[in-house]
Amino acid sequence: MPLAPVSKRRQVINFLTNHPDKGLTIAEAKNKFGISNLASTMRGVKNQVEAFGNWEITKVRTPRNKVRYFMNDTHPGTRTYGFDREGNRYMI
C-alpha cells in the first residue's frame, strides 16, 4: 500500500527538524515543496510547534536581504525521540 501524501506544512517541519542549521528561504520552499506563500505556511507551523514550548521559529535576514526561517529546539541534547515523514514520533 502506498504511503499517504505528506502535507506541505509537514514537509517544512520535517525539513527544518532535520536541518536545524540550514533554515529555509522563500525560494527554497518554492523549489523543494511548491510553496508559494511561505509566510502563511510558517504562521501555521509556528502555531503548531510553539504550542507546548518545545520548538521556536525564528526568522533572520540574509546578507542579500532575504528572509530565512529556522526551527530551534528549546531543549537541545535532551530529546530522546525523532519524527518520521508523517509526523509520528519514534525513539532515537
Side-chain angles (χ1 to χ4, degrees):
M1 177 178 255
L3 293 172
V6 178
S7 71
K8 293 184 187 293
R9 182 189 297 180
R10 185 75 236 177
Q11 290 175 11
V12 169
I13 292 170
N14 290 347
F15 179 81
L16 293 174
T17 302
N18 294 326
H19 304 92
D21 297 334
K22 191 171 182 182
L24 190 64
T25 64
I26 294 169
E28 292 168 344
K30 188 167 188 159
N31 290 336
K32 290 179 189 294
F33 311 118
I35 296 172
S36 58
N37 189 350
L38 184 60
S40 175
T41 302
M42 290 307 295
R43 276 193 297 278
V45 168
K46 182 176 177 122
N47 290 337
Q48 182 176 346
V49 302
E50 290 185 353
F52 300 104
N54 294 319
W55 301 91
E56 176 184 45
I57 299 296
T58 57
K59 65 182 182 179
V60 176
R61 289 272 178 196
T62 66
R64 293 185 177 180
N65 205 28
K66 307 243 185 240
V67 175
R68 182 172 293 277
Y69 292 93
F70 294 92
M71 190 165 94
N72 303 313
D73 188 353
T74 57
H75 305 290
T78 61
R79 201 159 304 278
T80 60
Y81 56 87
F83 296 95
D84 66 10
R85 71 182 291 274
E86 296 173 342
N88 300 315
R89 189 163 64 170
Y90 64 88
M91 297 300 290
I92 295 178

